Amino acid sequence: MAALGMGPALLFCPGDRPDRFQKAADRADAVILDLEDAVGGETKTAAREAVQAATLDPARTIVRVQDASAAGFDDDLAAVAASPFRTVMLAKAESSEQVDRVVAAVPDARVVVLCETARGVLAAESLVAHDAVVGIMWGAEDLVASLGGTSSRDESSAYRDVAMHARSRVLLAAGAFGVTAIDAIRADITDLDGAHAEAADAAASGFGAKAAIHPNHIEPYRRAFAPTAEQVAEAQRVLAAAEATPGVFSFEGRMVDEPILRHARSVVARAAAGDDS
């Protein structure tokens, strides 16, 4: 399986606002040109034409298409096929057969499946097992709506249990099949501290990226995913000590075994990825 490999801060941009495409791409690690929720029915055609004409870097561009049951799904895929872009986010993904439809229309597509319904979350494992899938994302509000609920968060802004279950299931599926897990957007665009805390939890838990609907969240996301200098230094010390002391050993007051070393390698790798970006 392949990973997405676009960096940790992904920014949605309405497909019918080509004037914002380059600005979004400049601010984020990757831009998601949206042909689904951000675009009204009356501007779908204009949005598809804008995506086809866009000159963004394909290596840092994703196109979100409508779900497979939507009337304009095939038109969205045709627009992607006629564009320079080959990374497709499938909204409300629920089956590997839907991924097959994406690949049939865009033969070299790299697919990010978006699990935001009950069926989609339950199908997470079969979705990421598909050879074309490079990433999986979850969505809280559509998921809760599909259950008949009214809000994914409680009065303290914390996710409800069902949303956390979906988040965990998507993350575990991604880890089991070696694809990138993308954490859901945060709708409160003014709460930058909350955005940072949520992204820090995502990074520590194993998500490879987090999506945003406003550029204000890009800096907190990047800061959250980038290890601090202290974390990198500690990880490097642990790895250096492991080279001199094979097996389980005591280091700076704690026992170190292979899982701890894997954590340290992850920190160093994330720091290196940030330096290369």
Side-chain angles (χ1 to χ4, degrees), residues 32 37 57-58 61 63 67 98 106 127 154 157 165 177 233 256:
I32 305 170
D37 286 346
D57 179 3
T61 304
V63 181
D67 68 272
Q98 294 173 348
V106 188
L127 286 165
D154 62 20
S157 194
H165 173 81
F177 287 86
V256 175

Side-chain angles (χ1 to χ4, degrees), residues 14-41:
D16 60 352
R17 293 300 305 269
D19 56 310
R20 297 182 182 178
F21 287 2
Q22 192 59 58
K23 293 178 183 177
D26 290 343
R27 291 181 177 183
D29 295 314
V31 61
I32 305 170
L33 303 181
D34 194 3
L35 295 177
E36 196 214 10
D37 286 346
V39 180

Side-chain angles (χ1 to χ4, degrees), residues 35-60:
L35 295 177
E36 196 214 10
D37 286 346
V39 180
E42 70 281 359
T43 59
K44 293 288 190 188
T45 298
R48 295 181 189 113
E49 293 172 351
V51 166
Q52 289 179 228
T55 58
L56 301 178
D57 179 3
R60 296 196 307 115

